[in-house]
Amino acid sequence: MADLKVIHAYRHLYRGLLHAVQFSKPARYTALHQLRRAFREKGAKYDARGITRTVLFLRAAARERGIEHQVLRNLLIIAWYRYGNTPTWRQAQVEMLTPQKRTELQDHIQATVYKHYEMTIAMLNKSMGLCLR
């Protein structure tokens, strides 16, 4: 069984995310998937200070529509486009049946498209002591 501190951190973060997105349907599922992905990551370490600061950040995002709310909103929009925008079964079938010719440039773009975004989020986390993704 997981450590009790980790379970409490997960619950506090999830509750804070739900309040910050005001329980809106697409955002709460995207937030849940992001949180699950973060807690299931191999080699992740428990950072009590970072989690506390992140919960405070989420409370500020829930309290008013300021900078914190806009940052969280943009993070969830990017996560939805990156992970959650799954095609229907029909779209997936059509994509499988039609041959796609990918160039070397398209492969390079696909591999590096989120690199700058991830570096920016890492710098934000480091400067504010947060645990955002």
Side-chain angles (χ1 to χ4, degrees), residues 20-95:
V21 300
Q22 298 175 352
F23 297 89
S24 66
K25 280 204 178 164
R28 75 175 166 197
Y29 296 125
T30 304
L32 175 64
H33 294 312
Q34 282 288 96
L35 191 60
R36 282 181 181 167
R37 194 175 297 113
F39 272 81
R40 290 177 182 169
E41 184 177 276
K42 297 282 185 196
K45 296 186 180 180
Y46 178 77
D47 180 17
R49 184 170 178 248
I51 289 172
T52 304
R53 294 182 71 110
T54 305
V55 169
L56 292 175
F57 180 85
L58 293 173
R59 282 187 192 153
R63 203 171 26 245
E64 61 184 46
R65 289 190 59 159
I67 296 293
E68 294 89 355
H69 184 80
Q70 295 299 320
V71 167
L72 181 65
R73 181 175 162 260
N74 288 333
L75 286 173
L76 290 175
I77 288 172
I78 295 296
W80 186 79
Y81 278 113
R82 189 175 184 180
Y83 301 113
N85 194 6
T86 57
T88 63
W89 70 271
R90 181 69 178 156
Q91 290 170 341
Q93 185 181 24
V94 168
E95 286 178 9

Side-chain angles (χ1 to χ4, degrees), residues 91-127:
Q91 290 170 341
Q93 185 181 24
V94 168
E95 286 178 9
M96 274 187 1
L97 296 177
T98 57
Q100 295 181 356
K101 297 178 183 175
R102 294 178 62 132
T103 64
E104 191 174 312
L105 177 64
Q106 288 173 333
D107 290 336
H108 175 70
I109 290 172
Q110 188 67 30
T112 60
V113 69
Y114 289 108
K115 186 177 274 188
H116 186 266
Y117 168 77
E118 290 168 354
M119 289 174 23
T120 305
I121 298 301
M123 287 188 286
L124 176 69
N125 287 338
K126 185 177 179 183
S127 65

